[in-house]
Amino acid sequence: MTKNLEIVYGNNRYDLWDALQDITSGEYAESGYEVPKGKICVLFGNWNTGKTVKNILDACDIPYTEKREEALSKELEKKFELEWYDEWASCGNCDKYVRTNASSLNWTPSYVLTKCGITCRHCVKDYTDDILDEFINNPRKAWQLEESFLEDEGFTLLDEIYESKNVMPEQILKRLQDEYKDSDFVFCKHSTGMFNVQFKVFMKARN
Ligand SMILES: [Zn+2]
């Protein structure tokens, strides 16, 4: 970040930029999120108790008052997108941030989690082969990004949609492997409800 952030309290003008460097900041890789024009970036902090705001005041040797805290909060909101530090994580490849806590029932992750860590949806296409290795014939992992990734890799969607409350993915995989010899399978999330997940299966014939 190369901008600056100043705040005026009474007759004193404070440069807060150095204090902000201690706060995690970055860009979004989350689907549907964008830093609006005019804002600098995303700041990840503890906003509820004002802990992050108080830390900034402390770091700048500004004596705490409620009014100053309020003024700084407003200034931060004007210049930054504010997100909760414990609800987001960064992509191991591009360092942009994805939500790791659901924001609604219909939310789906904008990343894939593998033994290499988090890869955001933008970076997955650069490592699709390696990432898919962990999903192929693995009934414990469901693909949750766009299905086009699987289609681009030559997988085709099978017709049936399964209910998690009715059948175990292990049983489905076994059945499919018996039926379609020499094929690979990837489980894919179809939808989630309060008490149930629907999923489907992509298949690709082995060469
Ligand atoms: Zn990324």
Side-chain angles (χ1 to χ4, degrees), residues 14 23 39 61 65 83 96 138 143 167 179 190:
Y14 295 91
I23 300 173
K39 290 197 178 183
D61 289 328
T65 67
E83 301 288 0
K96 292 184 177 179
N138 183 352
W143 187 258
V167 62
E179 189 175 342
H190 179 65

Side-chain angles (χ1 to χ4, degrees), residues 136-205:
I136 287 173
N137 301 323
N138 183 352
R140 294 285 96 200
K141 256 175 132 54
W143 187 258
Q144 299 194 62
L145 294 181
E146 289 89 340
E147 292 171 12
S148 58
F149 283 108
L150 301 174
E151 289 159 358
D152 289 349
E153 291 298 310
F155 283 85
T156 49
L157 178 61
L158 299 177
D159 285 338
E160 203 163 342
I161 291 171
Y162 303 93
E163 302 272 344
S164 65
K165 64 182 178 199
N166 295 339
V167 62
M168 294 288 284
E170 283 82 355
Q171 296 168 322
I172 296 166
L173 180 63
K174 168 111 191 24
R175 209 170 70 210
L176 289 171
Q177 284 175 326
D178 287 346
E179 189 175 342
Y180 303 99
K181 307 264 184 231
D182 302 321
S183 289
D184 287 323
F185 304 92
V186 172
F187 286 86
C188 183
K189 191 183 82 175
H190 179 65
S191 71
T192 46
M194 285 275 264
F195 307 106
N196 193 31
V197 177
Q198 288 187 319
F199 57 93
K200 49 199 177 185
V201 181
F202 277 78
M203 180 175 85
K204 181 185 178 180

Side-chain angles (χ1 to χ4, degrees), residues 55-75:
N55 285 348
I56 297 172
L57 291 174
D58 262 3
C60 296
D61 289 328
I62 302 169
Y64 173 84
T65 67
E66 241 175 65
K67 266 197 164 158
R68 285 173 179 170
E69 181 190 344
E70 208 176 294
L72 178 52
S73 296
K74 275 194 186 143
E75 194 61 23

